[in-house]
């Protein structure tokens, strides 16, 4: 992830748990359960993936969902790709910040064989009126063929070799004279149930130790057919990163699955 920092205007992560009012989210499995068994989920176009993102109406009163430009607002389209010092760890950074990876000029010979860059992406933030300081960052990532499954399989194998690693990133265009940013990361697995309607789920916490204050990003990555859903929160310093709200994740998984079956 490209050096996350708390930003009220472009929230990358959440500094407090997102709380949903009881009963405001629809059951996750309803739409998928009506689909004939064996019908494969289809790849969505960019417009269809954007339409499959949860909205204010999906989550109920008091919630504001904002669709934001891909890339998390950190490096920007010309800010360069954050590169891991160990090629095996690169899919983790690309999955958390896939748009930044699209600026790569070409794949290294030592890069993982599965392309991590999605063919389409929709990013959004979810805020709750009762918790103005908190927001939940989400991303819907569309992949071709079986690449979503293969990418998640790669991520599942990273908890050993990528328990500790370092990444570097060039400065944003406006700060070209600053030099590269070097970031230390620690990766750990979180027990995460697979939401109803999803094919698999991986939970993890990834720290960012590039500055005086350590940021801890806690993420849930759910695979839904040929797409991935990523939701993340943040903890700053001694504040632990809360688990992404399961009800928001379930509602998003349900809506994406329904779109793939539609």
């Amino acid at each position: 992830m490209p050096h996350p920092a708390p930003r009220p205007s472009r929230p990358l992560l959440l500094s407090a748990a997102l709380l949903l009012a009881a009963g405001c989210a629809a059951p996750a499995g309803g739409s998928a359960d009506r689909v004939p068994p064996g019908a494969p989920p289809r790849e969505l176009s960019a417009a269809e993936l954007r339409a499959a993102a949860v909205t204010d109406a999906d989550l109920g009163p008091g919630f504001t969902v904002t669709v934001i430009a891909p890339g998390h607002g950190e490096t920007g389209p010309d800010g360069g790709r954050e590169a891991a010092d160990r090629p095996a760890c690169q899919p983790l950074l690309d999955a958390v910040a896939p748009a930044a990876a699209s600026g790569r000029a070409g794949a290294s010979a030592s890069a993982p064989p599965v392309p991590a860059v999605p063919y389409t992406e929709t990013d959004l933030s979810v805020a709750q009126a009762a918790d103005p300081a908190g927001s939940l960052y989400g991303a819907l990532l569309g992949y071709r063929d079986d690449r979503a499954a293969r990418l998640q399989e790669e991520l599942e194998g990273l908890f050993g070799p990528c328990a500790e690693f370092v990444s570097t990133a060039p400065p944003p265009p406006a700060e070209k004279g600053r030099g590269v940013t070097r970031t230390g990361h620690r990766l750990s697995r979180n027990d995460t149930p697979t939401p109803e309607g999803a094919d698999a789920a991986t939970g993890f916490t990834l720290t960012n130790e590039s500055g005086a204050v350590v940021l801890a990003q806690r993420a849930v990555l759910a695979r839904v057919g040929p797409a991935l859903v990523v939701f993340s929160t943040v903890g700053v310093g001694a504040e632990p990163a809360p688990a992404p709200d399961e009800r928001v994740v379930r509602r998003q998984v349900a809506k994406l699955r329904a779109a793939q079956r539609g």
Side-chain angles (χ1 to χ4, degrees):
M1 82 203 61
H3 317 296
R7 291 187 183 187
S9 59
R10 294 288 298 274
L12 167 60
L13 300 167
L14 180 64
S15 59
L18 179 65
L19 303 177
L20 286 178
C24 69
S31 296
D33 291 344
R34 292 192 295 269
V35 176
R42 63 189 182 89
E43 297 174 4
L44 302 179
S45 68
E48 289 173 326
L49 188 70
R50 184 184 178 101
V54 291
T55 65
D56 303 359
D58 296 323
L59 297 179
F63 289 88
T64 301
V65 178
T66 304
V67 176
I68 59 179
H72 307 182
E74 295 292 337
T75 61
D78 300 318
R81 184 195 197 202
E82 186 175 15
D85 63 339
R86 302 177 187 177
C89 304
Q90 191 64 46
L92 177 65
L93 297 179
D94 289 345
V96 177
S102 64
R104 176 175 51 171
S108 166
S110 59
V114 180
V117 181
Y119 70 86
T120 186
E121 172 183 357
T122 294
D123 291 357
L124 61 149
S125 65
V126 183
Q128 186 184 19
D131 182 16
S135 62
L136 181 66
Y137 179 83
L140 280 63
L141 314 172
Y143 291 90
R144 300 294 186 193
D145 304 320
D146 64 345
R147 289 177 181 175
R150 294 170 61 196
L151 178 57
Q152 183 171 35
E153 183 178 354
E154 286 189 354
L155 294 177
E156 282 284 346
L158 299 183
F159 293 101
C162 298
E164 295 185 23
F165 67 100
V166 174
S167 68
T168 56
E175 304 177 30
K176 287 185 177 180
R178 191 183 67 183
V180 300
T181 299
R182 183 178 175 85
T183 303
H185 301 282
R186 296 177 188 272
L187 174 67
S188 60
R189 181 193 293 274
N190 300 322
D191 290 335
T192 302
T194 299
E196 184 177 0
D199 298 299
T202 302
F204 61 89
T205 296
L206 183 67
T207 64
N208 179 318
E209 303 174 13
S210 60
V213 178
V214 175
L215 301 181
Q217 175 172 345
R218 182 163 179 171
V220 171
L221 183 149
R223 177 167 57 85
V224 185
L228 297 177
V229 173
V230 184
F231 277 104
S232 56
T233 66
V234 72
V236 182
E239 176 188 353
D245 192 285
E246 291 183 4
R247 290 165 292 183
V248 176
V249 178
R250 288 200 304 265
R251 188 67 192 96
Q252 180 58 84
V253 167
K255 190 170 183 180
L256 178 58
R257 178 66 82 182
Q260 292 173 342
R261 299 292 197 188

